[in-house]
Amino acid sequence: MKAIRGFKDILPAESALWRHIESEAFRVFSTYGFSEIRLPILEKTELFSRSIGEGTDIVEKEMYSFKDRRGDGLTLRPEGTAPAVRAYIENKLHVKPVTKLYYTGPMFRYERPQKGRYRQFYQIGAEVLGDADPKVDAETIEMLIKYFRIIGIKDAVLNINSLGCSGCRPGYKLELLRFLGARMDSLCENCQRRVEENPLRALDCKSQGCVEATEDAPSMVDQLCRPCFEHFEGVTGFLMQLDVNYVLNSRMVRGLDYYTRTTFEITGPNLGAQNTIAAGGRYDKLVSELGGPDTPCFGFAIGMERLSIVLSSTGGFGASLSSPIFFFVSMGKPTRKKAMALVAEMRDGGFRVETAYIEGSPKKAMKRADKLGAVYTIILGEDELSKGVVSVKEMATADQSFVPYGELILWLNATLTGMG
RNA sequence: GUGGGCGUGGCUCAACGGUUAGAGCACUGGACUGUGACUCCGGGGGUUGGGGGUUCGAAUCCCCUCGUCCACCCCA
């Protein structure tokens, strides 16, 4: 039996890093006023088709959708924003002026697996609901950058853009359409086909012909209406004030329909083609489109697998993330009772203790201690038992000393803090 | 969904179409009856991803399939 395609286990060797990634995110986000929300993994299909957009790749060909026993159309969530917004409306969280939420968990998309892209993947998301101020955009991005710095992401690059609003985007789209229409022959097949659907995509295309053909294409940022332009200027201005470096990328396009105004993407090193480690933006119309009150919002999602790839490729993690292991060896039947009592005492004291009970030579136990990566091995044999002590051996130096039962915890604490 | 690379013990990899598919690491036993790492000696572990075909003979060549990686696409 094997896990199904695009699904994988996260084994202990990796999970310590995952927990670290999550807990640091929650710690940092909470200092910005975010609180956790736990969302269902399954939602009505309609929630996603309406929010993400009928014509998008996600909705069109990547969702795990099925009918339940009653015949209701359900979908394994492909992203977190729509469920968060649904919960926000349903639970009337809008009675508060601003709501800041974060969440984590698995998302599902039926895509071809490759490095940094899986069918079940994990995101950490955050949403600010109820504030249109450009300061929110800048501050939330700054929070994300700070978080990346804290967990040790280097060489992250922030790209930002503005997609305008329902007022100015259609006009831009028309103009772009005219521009592309005059150059249809130089566009790749793919882009010729999608010009009608989503002309913005052509700006993002990597094929030689499209890159050249769209070199002088009109840029959205130049076509923003006054309010959108001022908003965008506000965002970039605040980013500068917050010392956040960014690249203005007027070609950056989003694959979800709900985005308005600010959008951004952060890329990381050592990831190949799937190099976006976090992305997001503003979605000012989504809440009202889903039946809630007019509520401007901003949010982002982080790809956990990609983060963990970047972090493990740049090194430094592993042993340091888990606490030192103590290995307690009890030798000979008479020692057993005392050993169990001492182990219990150590665990109550917060130590991480593995145990082995052996007859005869401690050789095997020592070997096992070594394999486990024990920092200290504590031996209680019949000699020690008769003296009321244990032998404590520091594995790295092979130093060994007798410690009376009653002083064991104190001794360990003193030694550990001494180590620094 | 499209194109390409790669699948050999737990891991990293060898093996011109030709003996019983090897090595290092890992695992395990001993040298070493109260002490791990280092050293030495021994041991177990493979239907060469799976299925079919070509051939006297296939890990090796061909086809199908599954998986993985890369690019496209898409996105976190």
Side-chain angles (χ1 to χ4, degrees):
Chain A
M1 291 293 281
K2 285 160 107 177
I4 56 184
R5 189 168 201 208
F7 290 63
K8 62 165 195 166
D9 305 306
I10 295 149
L11 301 174
E14 230 186 318
S15 63
L17 175 58
W18 277 60
R19 184 162 287 277
H20 178 250
I21 288 171
E22 279 179 346
S23 60
E24 280 302 292
F26 301 163
R27 192 182 61 73
V28 173
F29 295 178
S30 75
T31 67
Y32 283 74
F34 287 79
S35 309
E36 183 177 19
I37 184 167
R38 299 209 180 199
L39 297 160
I41 286 176
L42 222 44
E43 297 274 359
K44 289 197 178 142
T45 299
E46 189 195 1
L47 173 65
F48 300 114
S49 50
R50 276 175 57 189
S51 57
I52 297 169
E54 291 284 1
T56 60
D57 279 15
I58 294 176
V59 171
E60 222 165 59
K61 46 193 190 200
E62 295 175 1
M63 295 207 300
Y64 280 91
S65 298
F66 61 95
K67 290 214 190 301
D68 70 4
R69 288 170 182 278
R70 249 190 79 198
D72 290 341
L74 305 181
T75 293
L76 246 29
R77 63 183 184 194
E79 60 111 35
T81 299
V85 167
R86 194 226 77 232
Y88 174 82
I89 297 168
E90 182 174 346
N91 297 288
K92 308 209 173 4
L93 300 183
H94 49 78
V95 295
K96 283 193 177 175
V98 184
T99 302
K100 293 182 170 186
L101 303 171
Y102 70 71
Y103 53 83
T104 184
M107 309 293 165
F108 303 84
R109 290 182 202 172
Y110 191 92
E111 294 185 272
R112 185 117 172 207
Q114 73 186 65
K115 186 177 187 176
R117 186 167 81 181
Y118 307 96
R119 291 182 174 180
Q120 174 176 334
F121 60 101
Y122 290 76
Q123 289 190 336
I124 300 172
E127 317 287 347
V128 181
L129 304 108
D131 196 339
D133 197 307
K135 197 179 68 196
V136 167
D137 309 35
E139 198 179 76
T140 307
I141 292 171
E142 186 256 345
M143 171 178 89
L144 190 50
I145 299 279
K146 182 198 275 184
Y147 163 63
F148 283 156
R149 200 179 56 236
I150 288 172
I151 60 171
I153 299 277
K154 300 193 170 63
D155 306 317
V157 177
L158 166 65
N159 277 268
I160 80 165
N161 190 20
S162 176
L163 298 178
C165 63
S166 53
C168 51
R169 197 174 347 172
Y172 169 66
K173 254 186 175 168
L174 271 181
E175 183 155 336
L176 183 61
L177 215 51
R178 262 203 305 277
F179 178 89
L180 294 174
R183 292 164 180 75
M184 276 303 249
D185 296 344
S186 10
L187 297 181
C188 71
E189 253 176 65
N190 236 323
C191 288
Q192 293 191 13
R193 180 174 48 74
R194 65 191 174 193
V195 156
E196 294 295 323
E197 283 280 314
N198 190 352
L200 299 186
R201 277 255 102 87
L203 298 178
D204 207 29
C205 186
K206 279 149 203 140
S207 95
Q208 181 79 21
C210 297
V211 172
E212 282 167 19
T214 60
E215 204 165 327
D216 304 313
S219 138
M220 180 70 233
V221 173
D222 297 330
Q223 312 282 321
L224 293 174
C225 62
R226 182 143 203 98
C228 283
F229 180 75
E230 281 171 5
H231 189 274
F232 193 54
E233 265 198 334
V235 174
T236 53
F238 285 127
L239 282 176
M240 281 195 283
Q241 267 182 48
L242 289 165
D243 260 336
V244 175
N245 293 319
Y246 62 86
V247 177
L248 203 162
N249 181 353
S250 61
R251 288 164 175 269
M252 193 176 64
V253 176
R254 303 278 64 212
L256 293 81
D257 283 355
Y258 53 66
Y259 285 111
T260 54
R261 292 193 167 173
T262 317
T263 57
F264 74 97
E265 220 173 84
I266 298 175
T267 55
N270 305 330
L271 280 164
Q274 312 301 324
N275 65 348
T276 302
I277 51 179
R282 188 159 272 289
Y283 48 98
D284 289 340
K285 295 292 166 217
L286 183 57
V287 175
S288 58
E289 275 165 17
L290 291 177
D294 220 345
T295 311
C297 303
F298 185 88
F300 65 79
I302 301 167
M304 296 251 286
E305 289 77 2
R306 294 180 191 178
L307 254 200
S308 103
I309 289 168
V310 173
L311 287 176
S312 33
S313 71
T314 52
F317 288 97
S320 63
L321 286 175
S322 54
S323 42
I325 295 169
F326 294 84
F327 193 62
F328 200 111
V329 183
S330 152
M331 286 170 42
K333 211 166 188 179
T335 66
R336 241 189 147 169
K337 210 169 155 186
K338 188 64 197 171
M340 287 172 79
L342 287 171
V343 166
E345 200 186 319
M346 285 178 70
R347 288 177 173 155
D348 286 346
F351 295 98
R352 175 171 172 173
V353 189
E354 281 291 339
T355 67
Y357 166 68
I358 59 157
E359 296 283 359
S361 162
K363 187 181 174 64
K364 223 176 205 167
M366 293 307 294
K367 200 161 192 163
R368 184 125 152 242
D370 193 47
K371 291 277 148 58
L372 278 169
V375 178
Y376 285 92
T377 299
I378 298 161
I379 303 162
L380 180 64
E382 294 184 34
D383 291 354
E384 284 89 352
L385 189 69
S386 66
K387 292 186 203 140
V389 298
V390 291
S391 294
V392 181
K393 178 170 186 173
E394 185 181 354
M395 298 302 278
T397 60
D399 289 345
Q400 190 165 328
S401 39
F402 292 117
V403 180
Y405 299 155
E407 293 169 27
L408 181 58
I409 301 294
L410 274 174
W411 192 93
L412 291 174
N413 274 322
T415 311
L416 283 187
T417 52
M419 279 166 57

